[in-house]
Amino acid sequence: MTAARGTDGVLVDRYGRVARDLRVSLTDKCNLRCTYCMPAEGLPWLAGPQLLSDDEIVRLVRVAVERLGVTEVRFTGGEPLIRPGVVGIVAAVAALTPRPRISLTTNGLGLDRLAPALRAAGLDRVNVSLDTLDAGRFARLTRRDRLADVLAGLAGAAAAGLTPVKINSVLMRGVNDDEAPALLHFALAHGYELRFIEQMPLDAQHGWDRAAMVTADEILATLRTGAGAPTEAGAPTEAGAPTEADPHTGASLPRTGFDLTPDPAERGAAPAETWLVDGGPARVGVIGSVTRPFCGDCDRTRLTADGQVRACLFATEESDLRGALRAGADDDELARRWRAAMWGKRAGHGIDDPTFLQPARPMSAIGG
Ligand code: SAM
């Protein structure tokens, strides 16, 4: 497909895709150390002056919303809740015209305390990352003993009305791939929407292995059979036991799995393919970034915490808006640079190409 070069108006690329969904990283730092994301000692963090200030972030989001047709803003990181100005940034973005939809991806730590203020500031909803319901496993996986805080964060988000509360889970072979049914039971019992994400080659350690990745097909098969052990601590506990009554005797039988049927709702540019669970209305999603890429429908543009525009998580090029902004560029110039950056967006992420190169920045530094 060909498209008119993006010199004015929206963020269009040469394949005709229009980016309306902006992911903004508020910081590259995180208060967890998930083994599949970063090393135990953390990473060389961006220095203070490299980071965009709160005002600079709001200005760039304003340019995106007012001049470039962005309608969705998602704050991420690193861990966005550890940025001191997060509530003020949300409030300033919520005051823009036209008002974008605003969401935030978080590990959930501190969300129970912050949720009411974020809601009052204008945050619409949250995605909370949670890969296991077992406290010991959580501590090993994230190198922090904080499962209870994440569960409190989820509950706090729901109580504050940051709904639908979505959960993101990454399954890893031999680590937590037995927990898919338990995670879905938990999500259903609490009214959260669960999304499984295929693990992508974006770890700081460059240890990703295609052959070891748990695929979307495997995740769906596991959910359908209900296979998988309860976790060490006997989870799912809060979700209710994964059993169902024998229709003839009433005896409690092990759960046989979920009935998943394709969700009739329009998928649009959403990365998750969704299924109705046991006839609905509850749903579960799978983001098959690697085995079921959705690049042709991608509507995302990204801004890193140091003010670089990226057209794709896997882009090897970035475009420096911070330098332009600090050199005195006006809004027109910033918009022009942003459009130029998006015009060059590649057709696909290329993970399956023999020539694929993992981007230099890990997920935490791009903004996942
Ligand atoms: N700290 C926040 C959080 O935990 O949600 C936001 C940043 S974190 C990088 C965003 C999401 O990326 C999390 O759900 C995390 O599990 C996921 N993630 C990290 N590395 C990943 C990888 N290599 N492949 C797929 N997802 C990954």
Side-chain angles (χ1 to χ4, degrees):
M1 189 197 292
T2 56
R5 186 172 179 120
T7 49
D8 53 32
V10 296
L11 292 170
V12 65
D13 66 37
R14 69 187 71 208
Y15 301 100
R17 293 169 298 189
V18 176
R20 299 198 181 277
D21 182 342
L22 168 61
R23 306 281 161 116
V24 182
S25 174
L26 294 184
T27 174
D28 57 329
K29 290 189 184 139
C30 192
N31 43 7
L32 293 182
R33 291 286 181 277
C34 299
T35 49
Y36 60 94
C37 192
M38 63 172 78
E41 66 277 14
L43 293 166
W45 311 121
L46 292 167
Q50 293 176 282
L51 290 171
L52 295 176
S53 68
D54 293 2
D55 286 347
E56 287 172 334
I57 289 174
V58 173
R59 174 158 176 220
L60 290 176
V61 175
R62 181 173 58 70
V63 168
V65 168
E66 289 180 353
R67 294 171 187 253
L68 299 171
V70 161
T71 55
E72 301 264 354
V73 177
R74 168 90 63 95
F75 294 109
T76 180
E79 175 45 48
L81 296 187
I82 63 178
R83 182 157 182 138
V86 60
V87 174
I89 292 171
V90 169
V93 169
L96 295 175
T97 306
R99 184 199 189 284
R101 283 183 293 275
I102 310 171
S103 58
L104 181 138
T105 300
T106 172
N107 60 30
L109 300 186
L111 184 57
D112 54 334
R113 279 179 286 108
L114 274 172
L118 287 166
R119 180 72 184 138
L123 188 67
D124 293 308
R125 56 168 207 86
V126 287
N127 280 41
V128 177
S129 302
L130 178 65
D131 303 325
T132 175
L133 293 164
D134 179 275
R137 193 179 266 188
F138 183 96
R140 285 194 296 283
L141 192 53
T142 66
R143 303 191 178 99
R144 302 287 187 271
D145 187 10
R146 305 291 300 272
L147 175 63
D149 298 300
V150 178
L151 300 182
L154 280 163
L162 294 171
T163 51
V165 173
K166 295 188 183 175
I167 296 180
N168 294 344
S169 297
V170 177
L171 295 182
M172 286 151 286
R173 205 173 297 286
V175 176
N176 64 341
D177 55 336
D178 57 350
E179 261 192 83
L183 285 161
L184 184 51
H185 279 292
F186 171 80
L188 295 176
H190 290 82
Y192 308 142
E193 278 191 26
L194 179 62
R195 303 265 181 276
F196 291 101
I197 309 175
E198 278 181 346
Q199 192 180 5
M200 296 177 279
L202 284 170
D203 55 316
Q205 304 91 316
H206 289 232
W208 182 83
D209 174 5
R210 174 79 153 84
M213 187 189 71
V214 181
T215 65
D217 284 348
E218 288 177 278
I219 296 166
L220 291 167
T222 305
L223 292 175
R224 287 191 163 114
T225 61
T231 56
E232 291 162 23
T237 47
E238 296 193 40
T243 58
E244 58 193 359
D246 182 311
H248 306 294
T249 65
S252 185
L253 295 175
R255 173 87 206 211
T256 50
F258 298 97
D259 178 34
L260 304 181
T261 46
D263 185 351
E266 190 76 18
R267 179 178 178 187
E273 278 180 84
T274 51
W275 281 264
L276 297 179
V277 181
D278 295 337
R283 295 182 302 172
V284 64
V286 179
I287 303 182
S289 319
V290 179
T291 64
R292 302 177 178 208
F294 37 88
C295 304
D297 292 318
C298 180
D299 70 343
R300 250 158 285 155
T301 181
R302 296 175 180 273
L303 182 65
T304 64
D306 56 347
Q308 311 299 304
V309 167
R310 296 178 66 94
C312 171
L313 266 179
F314 296 93
T316 46
E317 314 82 31
E318 296 184 341
S319 184
D320 180 24
L321 288 190
R322 183 193 63 193
L325 184 154
R326 291 186 183 170
D330 63 13
D331 289 354
D332 281 340
E333 173 63 9
L334 293 170
R336 190 192 65 72
R337 284 174 184 249
W338 205 323
R339 284 188 204 103
M342 293 305 294
W343 181 254
K345 179 170 175 138
R346 296 188 185 184
H349 56 45
I351 294 174
D352 275 336
D353 294 351
T355 56
F356 174 74
L357 278 182
Q358 185 170 337
R361 290 213 212 207
M363 178 83 128
S364 58
I366 297 168

